Amino acid sequence: MASRIPARSGSIGRGLSAAVLAAVAVALFGAATLAPAFAQTDFFRFEQRPKGTKKPSLGRPAAGAGDKQMMVQATEVQYDHVNERVSAVGNVQIYYDGSTIEADRVVYNQRTKRLRAEGNVRLTEPGGNITYGEILELNDDYRDGFVDSLRVETPDQTRFAAARADRSDGRYSVLQSGVYTACEPCKTDPRKPPLWQVKGARIIHDEQEKMIHFEQGSFELFGRPIAYFPYFSTPDPTVKRKSGWLMPVFSSTTKLGFVMEAPYFWALAPNYDLTLTPSVSTKQGPFMQAEFRHRLLNGAYAIRAAGIRQFDKDEFIHANGQPTPGYRDWRGAVESNGQFGLNQRWVWGWDALLISDKTFYQDYKVQTFTKDARNPFQNNKMEGVSQLYLVGRGSRSYFDARTMYFYGFSEFDQQKQLPVVHPVIDYTYTVGQPVLGGELGFRFNMTSISRDTADFDPINKTAKDLNFCGFTTADPAVKNTNNCLLRGAPGSYSRFSAEASWKRTITDPLGQMFTPFFSVRADIASVNLENEPGVSNFIETSDTAQFRGMPVAGLEYRYPFINVQSWGTTIVEPIAQVIARPDESKIGKMPNEDAQSFVFDDGNLFRVDKFSGWDRVEGGGRVNYGVQTTTQFNQGGYINVLFGQSYQLFGTNSFAAGDATNTGLNSGLDTRRSDYVARLSYQPDRMFTLTTRYRFDEKNFDMRRFELEGRANFDRVSLQALYGNYDKQPELGFLARREGILGGVSVKLTQNWAAIAAARYDIDADKFDQTRFGLGYIDDCLILALNYITSYTYSGNPTKDHRLMMQLSLRTLGSTSGTTGISGIGGL
């Protein structure tokens, strides 16, 4: 097998270190004579110990004229002049050039030119390799020899053992009846088989090629043989990168059948490589993937491609006879990403994607450069992006500029409805020195986007059932704010925004904290929208230039009261904000692209501008008020409570003036007096955390929104859960109350075994829509995991995907996995 990632040092070939043993023989026994005068020379020092004395530790070699000194210790030395042999007997220890050899007896035969170490042989090298054996023998040139009862331990905790090891040609070490493993022996029972091991009738180590070959091999897991192979090879542990075959991968799906992948890694150079992954499926035939990686001095880039000519495209037809995007002969994708540093503060890079159809990645489970982190259950990304970016970071500033082109990977996505960003630029800067005793900062944003076709979204039952808002609807009068939202306007839209802000906190002698703040913001926009059917019911479609300004002045007041008791400290803090500003202008005249997401809760109660993006700006006079209390216990733990409300003092309420997306309506802020928001957090110790968030109706205190999030960590068990209960929001298309729970548990069964379970339960629909169960083993040499996952994919109709996944990772050898799944059509 090839090695694609760096490996640690260590080699079984060095267990027969010819150079070290050669020096031992020459130093100890001489090259021309066996005179007893060798007991002390300039090259080495020899010491004899009386019988029965304790074996001392090796000292440093004696000083002398030679470049490398040696010290030899033994109980006695025997000279056989007739047979021309010299023997060091009894607790023999030899130190030379950082290496040591220990044995019961070391004999050098000048006639046969062979060196022989007998009894409890142990050779320790400077690199950390340790070789054990009962008999070790080398010939005169030290290129050939053998070891009986060999054991080798390397610094990276890999181990070899064999009944006998033979060395030949100065490069080959052949282990008869050999065993290799990267696992440590069982501490309680060293005779017990390791977690995994590879056995071979012969294990051949080629020091020149740095390869280990296994003949007539078998693989054992937990002491049980599970695989047999006539031949198998892998780079030795000293190799960081080497060309060759990687571990195969197996999977099974209803559309592809049984699939086998056999990756081949090609180390073209130390800084670039190529991985070719041919695969074959029983239903669709050969499939090829390739990845090229190149690392340079200031960055790296990669290119990945995949393609297939499908044998049976009829597998990609709906049950109703309608073809899916996968109903074609040729399918494939090309991807690239890269990032390079201009200096310590600036980087630039790209992500690029070209794909044949929107469901290719889902159908073929192709690995991509980026993952969809929004959904841990989802096996595939739901969207792709091509982008070019430039990012800079300073000690008090940040710059980000990028262009983006989005791809929808769901069959429901219409590519022409997705925006093209060209570009979006953000810059923030905070002045390092105080200005008028306060903090002065600046923010800038420039956004330019275009879209080919309007993106409408139905918001009532009739519109949903009859597809009033579909992009093919002929009657434009049907599309209006009573039944549709305009999520994306067709045409082009460019906006530049700049904001300067200043604030200063003043604390009086009573401990009251006053924070005056001021800001001024200006927006300039060019709006060029297409007059598609129905668009004019939501926004002006003529080409216009828009200007919007927003000056803000306000004051925040806090007065923390501190109560110290023997059991802890409590802080009660009333908070009030008064904000004065004019009404928001240009509502409905400028598209809303980046401020559609809005939730009113404890997190934004005291934000001066509560909108999430630049396309909307909050206007009108407002006061935000509430109280926060925190109790900190001396033994650890705390309780935090926040309760508050917002009140529109004067002017137009921005959250009651719906735009083309109705952002702000049904939010709890769209009335003069807002709903009440609250938070309760409790953490008694490091084991438990509980946080609840509330939104109550401002008239009758009915629950409009409730979230409960909890975590518990015991010795072996970890629990987490999130419960949500959300009121209907008909103006946004949520016609019924939503309620669900997402939870997970992990249990450490033993020191190495663990089990996990996670699920999302839709209480309204009374069903589990996503689940995951897993069992895994992990230690320093083995990872073994088995997972069962159900989730929804969107290749065609919503499909509940059931997948069984297995992963096996062996340290120093590589990883493999297998996946099988059966998909059935079902509704959400």
Side-chain angles (χ1 to χ4, degrees):
M1 305 299 292
S3 177
R4 193 181 183 194
I5 60 177
R8 298 177 182 174
S9 61
S11 169
I12 63 170
R14 295 176 180 267
L16 299 176
S17 180
V20 173
L21 294 181
V24 171
V26 172
L28 180 58
F29 305 110
T33 180
L34 295 176
F38 72 90
Q40 179 76 42
T41 72
D42 288 338
F43 188 73
F44 69 93
R45 185 179 69 217
F46 175 77
E47 295 180 357
Q48 290 182 281
R49 298 191 302 271
K51 292 182 179 181
T53 59
K54 184 179 179 180
K55 181 170 67 175
S57 59
L58 292 177
R60 297 300 301 172
D67 294 333
K68 297 178 181 179
Q69 300 297 311
M70 175 177 292
M71 186 177 74
V72 181
Q73 294 177 329
T75 302
E76 62 180 280
V77 177
Q78 301 172 355
Y79 307 98
D80 186 346
H81 297 280
V82 176
N83 297 310
E84 299 185 30
R85 290 187 302 182
V86 177
S87 303
V89 182
N91 296 326
V92 181
Q93 287 185 313
I94 303 171
Y95 180 96
Y96 174 74
D97 194 25
S99 298
T100 61
I101 184 170
E102 301 173 64
D104 295 340
R105 180 185 181 91
V106 177
V107 179
Y108 179 71
N109 191 319
Q110 192 174 17
R111 290 181 179 178
T112 61
K113 307 299 184 183
R114 296 190 72 85
L115 175 71
R116 182 183 180 94
E118 301 174 350
N120 300 311
V121 180
R122 173 185 170 119
L123 172 65
T124 305
E125 299 181 77
N129 284 2
I130 303 177
T131 301
Y132 300 91
E134 285 301 315
I135 299 176
L136 184 150
E137 185 169 323
L138 290 174
N139 66 356
D140 186 61
D141 58 7
Y142 311 106
R143 294 172 55 84
D144 301 328
F146 71 87
V147 179
D148 279 346
S149 302
L150 171 74
R151 287 189 302 120
V152 178
E153 296 180 359
T154 64
D156 64 345
Q157 302 302 312
T158 59
R159 294 169 173 82
F160 290 86
R164 177 187 172 97
D166 296 275
R167 178 181 175 84
S168 60
D169 298 335
R171 60 179 286 189
Y172 297 108
S173 297
V174 181
L175 281 65
Q176 307 292 341
S177 300
V179 178
Y180 169 75
T181 184
C183 301
E184 294 185 359
C186 179
K187 294 181 179 179
T188 58
D189 185 4
R191 296 172 298 177
K192 185 178 180 180
L195 294 176
W196 66 263
Q197 60 184 359
V198 181
K199 292 184 176 180
R202 294 206 314 165
I203 300 177
I204 304 172
H205 180 213
D206 187 336
E207 290 188 43
Q208 183 173 324
E209 295 292 334
K210 295 187 180 297
M211 290 292 295
I212 302 174
H213 307 273
F214 297 82
E215 296 180 354
Q216 301 179 31
S218 64
F219 174 72
E220 293 186 2
L221 187 64
F222 299 111
R224 303 282 185 176
I226 63 172
Y228 298 90
F229 41 86
Y231 175 79
F232 162 68
S233 65
T234 183
D236 73 28
T238 64
V239 175
K240 295 182 178 181
R241 293 157 47 90
K242 191 173 183 65
S243 300
W245 294 100
L246 303 176
M247 287 284 193
V249 178
F250 304 93
S251 62
S252 175
T253 68
T254 55
K255 296 178 180 178
L256 307 182
F258 179 76
V259 183
M260 183 183 72
E261 300 179 7
Y264 183 85
F265 175 70
W266 192 0
L268 301 172
N271 63 322
Y272 58 89
D273 54 57
L274 175 67
T275 302
L276 300 175
T277 308
S279 63
V280 62
S281 62
T282 55
K283 290 187 178 181
Q284 301 302 335
F287 179 66
M288 176 61 75
Q289 299 180 69
E291 181 183 0
F292 177 77
R293 305 184 302 177
H294 191 186
R295 180 171 295 278
L296 303 173
L297 291 177
N298 62 337
Y301 69 93
I303 303 172
R304 178 179 291 153
I308 186 174
R309 188 185 190 282
Q310 299 183 135
F311 281 2
D312 187 7
K313 63 182 179 181
D314 291 340
E315 287 288 339
F316 302 95
I317 297 180
H318 291 308
N320 61 9
Q322 294 296 318
T324 71
Y327 183 74
R328 57 177 65 205
D329 293 326
W330 290 94
R331 303 181 71 183
V334 179
E335 241 187 318
S336 176
N337 70 349
Q339 181 169 295
F340 294 88
L342 300 175
N343 52 42
Q344 293 183 348
R345 297 180 180 269
W346 290 89
V347 298
W348 72 278
W350 73 86
D351 295 287
L353 172 64
L354 183 63
I355 192 168
S356 62
D357 59 272
K358 60 186 69 174
T359 60
F360 173 70
Y361 280 151
Q362 292 192 54
D363 292 336
Y364 283 89
K365 312 300 179 187
V366 175
Q367 182 182 2
T368 58
F369 286 127
T370 57
K371 302 295 183 183
D372 191 349
R374 299 170 302 173
N375 190 344
F377 294 96
Q378 193 67 45
N379 296 324
N380 301 279
K381 295 195 304 177
M382 294 305 298
E383 65 182 24
V385 62
S386 292
Q387 61 178 336
L388 179 67
Y389 60 87
L390 174 67
V391 178
R393 295 178 182 271
S395 58
R396 305 180 68 87
S397 62
Y398 177 78
F399 177 88
D400 187 297
R402 61 188 65 219
T403 62
M404 293 182 285
Y405 183 90
F406 295 96
Y407 300 86
F409 290 163
S410 165
E411 191 168 341
F412 300 107
D413 290 324
Q414 300 297 327
Q415 190 62 42
K416 291 185 177 182
Q417 293 179 347
L418 301 181
V420 179
V421 181
H422 44 79
V424 57
I425 301 174
D426 286 288
Y427 177 70
T428 62
Y429 173 71
T430 302
V431 177
Q433 301 297 324
V435 177
L436 300 178
E439 181 183 86
L440 177 64
F442 301 92
R443 296 194 306 153
F444 302 91
N445 174 267
M446 198 277 280
T447 299
S448 177
I449 69 171
S450 63
R451 182 183 284 104
D452 292 336
T453 303
D455 182 10
F456 291 99
D457 189 12
I459 61 173
N460 61 37
K461 188 176 186 304
T462 302
K464 291 175 182 288
D465 293 343
L466 300 180
N467 194 24
F468 280 172
C469 305
F471 70 99
T472 59
T473 302
D475 184 5
V478 171
K479 302 176 183 178
N480 55 60
T481 55
N482 294 323
N483 50 46
C484 299
L485 300 178
L486 181 61
R487 292 295 185 186
S492 61
Y493 165 58
S494 299
R495 173 188 43 76
F496 176 78
S497 301
E499 180 183 71
S501 61
W502 177 90
K503 65 179 180 179
R504 178 184 178 184
T505 299
I506 302 171
T507 304
D508 69 5
L510 297 178
Q512 300 178 100
M513 302 171 64
F514 299 88
T515 304
F517 55 88
F518 301 92
S519 67
V520 59
R521 170 176 160 178
D523 303 287
I524 302 174
S526 173
V527 184
N528 303 284
L529 302 183
E530 300 292 335
N531 191 16
E532 289 188 7
V535 174
S536 59
N537 296 333
F538 297 85
I539 192 171
E540 294 183 4
T541 57
S542 58
D543 296 346
T544 60
Q546 303 288 348
F547 173 79
R548 180 176 63 193
M550 180 60 66
V552 177
L555 176 68
E556 180 177 288
Y557 170 80
R558 295 173 181 255
Y559 194 5
F561 296 88
I562 301 177
N563 181 12
V564 179
Q565 299 290 337
S566 60
W567 45 264
T569 302
T570 298
I571 301 176
V572 179
E573 184 180 33
I575 308 172
Q577 272 183 344
V578 180
I579 305 169
R581 59 197 163 197
D583 291 343
E584 179 187 8
S585 60
K586 309 300 182 180
I587 301 175
K589 297 182 181 296
M590 297 170 59
N592 179 5
E593 294 284 349
D594 67 357
Q596 296 185 24
S597 175
F598 178 72
V599 174
F600 176 49
D601 59 13
D602 61 289
N604 55 15
L605 172 63
F606 293 104
R607 283 188 56 180
V608 176
D609 185 351
K610 296 178 175 59
F611 283 112
S612 59
W614 289 88
D615 286 333
R616 292 292 302 272
V617 57
E618 185 178 350
R622 180 173 291 276
V623 56
N624 304 312
Y625 49 89
V627 61
Q628 178 174 235
T629 177
T630 301
T631 298
Q632 190 78 39
F633 300 102
N634 291 337
Q635 301 301 322
Y638 69 89
I639 298 177
N640 175 264
V641 179
L642 173 69
F643 186 86
Q645 190 183 36
S646 183
Y647 184 82
Q648 186 75 20
L649 292 174
F650 58 83
T652 301
N653 186 345
S654 293
F655 304 101
D659 52 22
T661 63
N662 283 349
T663 300
L665 300 184
N666 300 142
S667 66
L669 272 172
D670 51 340
T671 54
R672 190 172 186 85
R673 286 195 311 160
S674 77
D675 288 347
Y676 299 99
V677 294
R679 178 188 68 234
L680 170 63
S681 296
Y682 175 52
Q683 182 174 336
D685 48 39
R686 296 182 179 180
M687 295 173 57
F688 297 95
T689 300
L690 181 68
T691 301
T692 58
R693 297 179 178 87
Y694 313 82
R695 200 185 93 217
F696 303 101
D697 187 271
E698 53 94 12
K699 293 181 179 179
N700 53 26
F701 223 67
D702 286 345
M703 184 78 69
R704 296 301 184 191
R705 186 180 182 92
F706 173 70
E707 288 182 343
L708 184 150
E709 182 177 4
R711 298 174 183 270
N713 296 299
F714 303 98
D715 181 35
R716 292 180 175 272
V717 180
S718 296
L719 301 169
Q720 57 182 0
L722 174 63
Y723 169 80
N725 190 320
Y726 311 112
D727 195 13
K728 60 184 179 180
Q729 296 174 286
E731 299 289 348
L732 301 179
F734 300 107
L735 306 181
R737 196 174 190 94
R738 294 146 290 156
E739 187 177 12
I741 184 169
L742 174 67
V745 57
S746 63
V747 181
K748 191 174 182 180
L749 304 174
T750 66
Q751 182 178 358
N752 303 106
W753 284 97
I756 62 171
R760 189 174 72 181
Y761 181 64
D762 187 336
I763 297 177
D764 293 329
D766 191 21
K767 67 178 182 180
F768 289 94
D769 53 15
Q770 292 180 340
T771 58
R772 178 178 181 178
F773 302 96
L775 179 66
Y777 179 94
I778 183 171
D779 67 5
D780 61 336
C781 71
L782 171 68
I783 298 177
L784 179 63
L786 184 67
N787 288 277
Y788 173 75
I789 299 176
T790 64
S791 63
Y792 281 94
T793 60
Y794 297 88
S795 178
N797 294 327
T799 303
K800 196 167 186 179
D801 188 26
H802 301 259
R803 306 195 64 79
L804 185 64
M805 307 173 65
M806 186 191 74
Q807 177 191 2
L808 176 64
S809 179
L810 309 175
R811 187 171 69 89
T812 73
L813 290 186
S815 301
T816 186
S817 63
T819 304
T820 183
I822 299 176
S823 298
I825 301 298
L828 288 174

